Amino acid sequence: MRQAASGLPRPFWWLWASILIGRLGSFVAPFLILYLTAERGYSASFAGLVAALFGAGGAAASVVGGMLADRVGRRTTLLVAQVTAAGLTTALGFADQPLLIAVLACAAGAASGASRPVVQTVLADLVPPADRMRAFSLYYWAVNIGFGVAAASAGFISAHGYRWLFLIEAAATLLSALVIAVRLPETMTDPADIERERGDEKGAGFRTVLRDRPFLAAVGLSFLLIVVFQQAAAGLPVAMERDGLTPAQYGLVISLNGILIVALQLPLGRRLEGSNPGRLLVLASLLCGGGFGLNALAGGAAVYAIAVVVWTLGEIVHSPVNMGLIARFSTSTARGRYQGIHALSWAIATMAAPLCAGIVIDRFGPDTLWAACTVLGVCAAVGYWALLLRGPDRHRHAPHPTIATVRPRRAPR
């Protein structure tokens, strides 16, 4: 723990604390459908529509959040997004008209989604390239601890009324914003650096980002693996139910994912620091595809648990390395836009995964889904090899200049 946490700048730890606080109160998204059906009596189809609107709002806002981070400032964008999210979350908990609930869910999802690329942008601003893998491991560790605690406690809180879930999440979001307002400086690149970089071949607009073929290739490969990872929540419970396993058994099996991430993310991240990211991403892709492919051999909880262990190891390796890769591809003047496009692909993948799982399982059965996951994992491994390992080292393995010292700055016009 001391080795994993040493040497990182103090502003990083304030950002990390704000992330953990926010995640500890992340109740609404996982329990939104249950709230609408069990507490409010709406149909499952309406609840599914509201959840989809929540996700769609977050997907659209991720690009906007990244753009505002580059134009207005990281700190300002984060504060506005979080304060807005707190207000909309509170309003959603008290809304009683179907149309109003749908509109507020989409808006609340947008406000929440706008923060994600900005947080990763600030992290890349604060931490030098040599330490980014370790920093992203700590970030991912905080996200999973917060989500695990929130999921475990939400059931007890909802017993006193579902509205408390909305109020506590809003309060946690405001507390997270307070930490940022008081302790986190603005990390936008110095205006002189912006002008110098604009004089080079790189610009700062979305057009430049969308012309960056190596970056888009990395985003596409990440998209494939996210679709596979999301089958833990989409395809796995359906497959286990068809094998005669109970929801309690599914809960125990999938809990291994969170336990392993909390236990292994930091020590593995520390040991892998300095390794070739291309080789790590190839390994992670194979573990991911192979782990989900093992589900085709499962008939009981034990084999499903072994499969969870395998693909979780792939997730532990892939997540911080992939975030570091995206940060390395981005330029300092367009870092928010790069992160916004990556966050958009993540959001689309989380929406596409359950749709694909349902269609494949209904038409061809779970084994076909697991075979498809294996194929996607192998395709991602080949893609990472071609992008990062094949031929001369020409895909910007050298890091971009980063901020050496972070101090409050006025956002450039």
Side-chain angles (χ1 to χ4, degrees), residues 18-254:
S18 72
I19 293 167
L20 181 61
I21 291 169
R23 289 292 178 170
L24 287 172
S26 57
F27 301 132
V28 172
F31 280 78
L32 184 57
I33 290 180
L34 189 61
Y35 161 71
L36 292 172
T37 55
E39 176 75 5
R40 304 303 300 274
Y42 288 109
S43 65
S45 59
F46 175 75
L49 172 63
V50 171
L53 288 172
F54 187 94
S62 61
V63 177
V64 178
M67 179 188 67
L68 292 176
D70 288 333
R71 289 189 174 182
V72 179
R74 286 50 156 151
R75 185 170 175 271
T76 301
T77 303
L78 267 179
L79 289 174
V80 171
Q82 290 186 322
V83 172
T84 303
L88 291 170
T89 299
T90 301
L92 180 60
F94 287 87
D96 55 5
Q97 297 296 323
L99 179 60
L100 181 60
I101 290 173
V103 171
L104 287 173
C106 185
S112 299
S115 299
R116 186 177 298 111
V118 188
V119 167
Q120 296 186 10
T121 300
V122 174
L123 196 153
D125 288 341
L126 290 171
V127 180
D131 295 327
R132 280 182 188 158
M133 180 176 173
R134 184 156 49 99
F136 280 119
S137 293
L138 285 161
Y139 162 76
Y140 197 64
W141 190 61
V143 167
N144 279 275
I145 288 179
F147 181 81
V149 173
S153 58
F156 297 101
I157 296 173
S158 63
H160 300 282
Y162 276 87
R163 222 162 244 173
W164 283 108
L165 298 179
F166 294 86
L167 293 174
I168 294 175
E169 176 163 333
T173 305
L174 287 176
L175 183 56
S176 176
L178 180 62
V179 172
I180 290 171
V182 174
R183 305 303 305 183
L184 189 69
E186 176 57 71
T187 64
M188 281 188 71
T189 307
D190 192 295
D193 294 335
I194 292 178
E195 292 303 321
R196 185 186 67 251
E197 190 166 294
R198 282 175 177 168
D200 298 335
E201 76 277 7
K202 295 294 178 185
F206 272 117
R207 184 179 301 176
T208 299
V209 179
L210 296 176
R211 288 175 178 172
D212 191 337
R213 292 182 180 178
F215 164 74
L216 294 179
V219 169
L221 296 171
S222 174
F223 176 87
L224 294 180
L225 290 184
I226 293 169
V227 169
V228 176
F229 284 129
Q230 289 296 316
Q231 299 310 320
L236 186 59
V238 178
M240 291 183 68
E241 188 272 334
R242 290 195 176 193
D243 281 337
L245 301 175
T246 66
Q249 288 174 302
Y250 166 74
L252 288 173
V253 167
I254 201 62

